């Protein structure tokens, strides 16, 4: 197991919610402009130099490919019909066909702190992951009040489950048929802080994960 992924798993076992940016490596070529298969040897994710990679062309790597942390993709800071995914945000699937990213959060033109006591607008999944971290903190606060006997990895899993289960799937603004953006890009959808801190239930799979 890669060192970063192993460290992320250790943090989960230590009862910490881990939020990881999906990285900024662009599109997953298996579903992007297949007519541009021009240079299989020099394929670069997000560009048109081939748009092909054998087996699986997902662009999410270690440690964002860890199963238990929350992997966050970047979308524009808009709502409704103006919302869209950042073209730079990485796609899934993982090589074992696990679905990543898990959710999406604002990552375009985010006002953040900069050098020399300045504020700057920044793009990237590194802007989206802190948004998820803040929501996770609110969900933990809620669960400690409503489910005080929930501890350890079970608490971490409940936080991830609530955030994913209450996310809002985005529509593809570039589609004429109001198609939903592929979960390979957005995961479960846009994080909804209000819903995540209010929902009485969340969804899990047969193995107990979200």
């Amino acid at each position: 197991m890669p060192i970063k992924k192993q460290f992320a798993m250790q943090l989960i076992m230590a009862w910490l919610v881990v939020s990881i940016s999906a990285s900024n490596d662009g599109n997953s070529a298996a579903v992007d402009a297949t007519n541009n298969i021009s240079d299989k040897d020099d394929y670069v994710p997000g560009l048109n130099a081939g748009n092909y990679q054998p087996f699986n062309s997902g662009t999410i790597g270690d440690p964002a490919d860890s199963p238990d942390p929350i992997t966050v993709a970047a979308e524009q800071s808009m709502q409704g019909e103006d919302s869209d995914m950042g073209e730079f945000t990485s796609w899934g699937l993982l090589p074992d066909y696990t679905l990543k990213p898990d959710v999406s959060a604002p990552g375009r033109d985010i006002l953040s702190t900069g050098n020399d006591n300045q504020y700057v607008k920044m793009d990237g999944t590194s802007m989206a992951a802190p948004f998820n971290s803040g929501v996770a903190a609110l969900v933990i606060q809620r669960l400690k009040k409503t489910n005080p006997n929930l501890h350890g990895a079970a608490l971490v899993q409940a936080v991830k489950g609530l955030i994913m289960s209450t996310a809002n799937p985005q529509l593809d603004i570039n589609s004429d048929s109001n198609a939903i953006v592929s979960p390979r890009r957005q995961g479960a959808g846009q994080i909804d802080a209000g819903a995540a801190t209010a929902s009485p239930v969340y969804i899990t799979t047969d193995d107990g994960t979200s």
Side-chain angles (χ1 to χ4, degrees):
M1 180 182 294
I3 294 176
K4 291 181 180 178
K5 181 186 293 187
Q6 186 176 27
F7 181 64
M9 301 302 293
Q10 290 173 343
L11 291 176
I12 294 292
M13 296 306 295
W15 307 1
L16 295 177
V17 175
V18 179
S19 177
I20 302 178
S21 61
S23 76
N24 302 319
D25 291 324
N27 67 54
S28 182
V31 293
D32 182 76
T34 54
N35 60 320
N36 283 329
I37 299 176
S38 58
D39 189 348
K40 298 178 182 179
D41 294 327
D42 296 322
Y43 165 74
V44 178
L47 302 180
N48 287 327
N51 282 319
Y52 174 82
Q53 193 173 41
F55 185 54
N56 175 49
S57 54
T59 55
I60 293 178
D62 180 39
D65 58 350
S66 303
D68 290 329
I70 307 174
T71 302
V72 190
E75 44 96 352
Q76 294 186 15
S77 305
M78 302 291 183
Q79 294 293 324
E81 63 182 15
D82 294 324
S83 181
D84 195 13
M85 296 300 298
E87 75 280 358
F88 52 81
T89 195
S90 294
W91 291 51
L93 301 166
L94 303 185
D96 64 356
Y97 302 110
T98 299
L99 185 60
K100 286 280 182 172
D102 296 308
V103 287
S104 301
R108 170 72 77 183
D109 291 333
I110 304 301
L111 190 64
S112 184
T113 54
N115 294 330
D116 301 320
N117 295 319
Q118 300 293 315
Y119 290 100
V120 294
K121 284 188 176 181
M122 302 180 68
D123 299 337
T125 53
S126 293
M127 298 291 100
F131 185 99
N132 176 74
S133 298
V135 175
L138 293 174
V139 175
I140 291 173
Q141 185 179 42
R142 169 265 177 104
L143 287 174
K144 286 187 175 181
K145 291 181 178 179
T146 60
N147 300 73
N149 294 323
L150 198 59
H151 299 289
L155 174 62
V156 174
Q157 185 56 49
V159 172
K160 182 178 180 181
L162 282 164
I163 291 175
M164 290 184 64
S165 297
T166 57
N168 297 312
Q170 295 186 85
L171 296 180
D172 187 348
I173 64 172
N174 300 309
S175 170
D176 294 331
S177 58
N178 289 324
I180 293 176
V181 173
S182 170
R184 296 180 68 178
R185 295 187 69 192
Q186 69 169 327
Q190 291 177 310
I191 293 174
D192 186 330
T197 54
S199 176
V201 296
Y202 60 91
I203 302 169
T204 62
T205 61
D206 290 340
D207 62 1
T209 61
S210 295

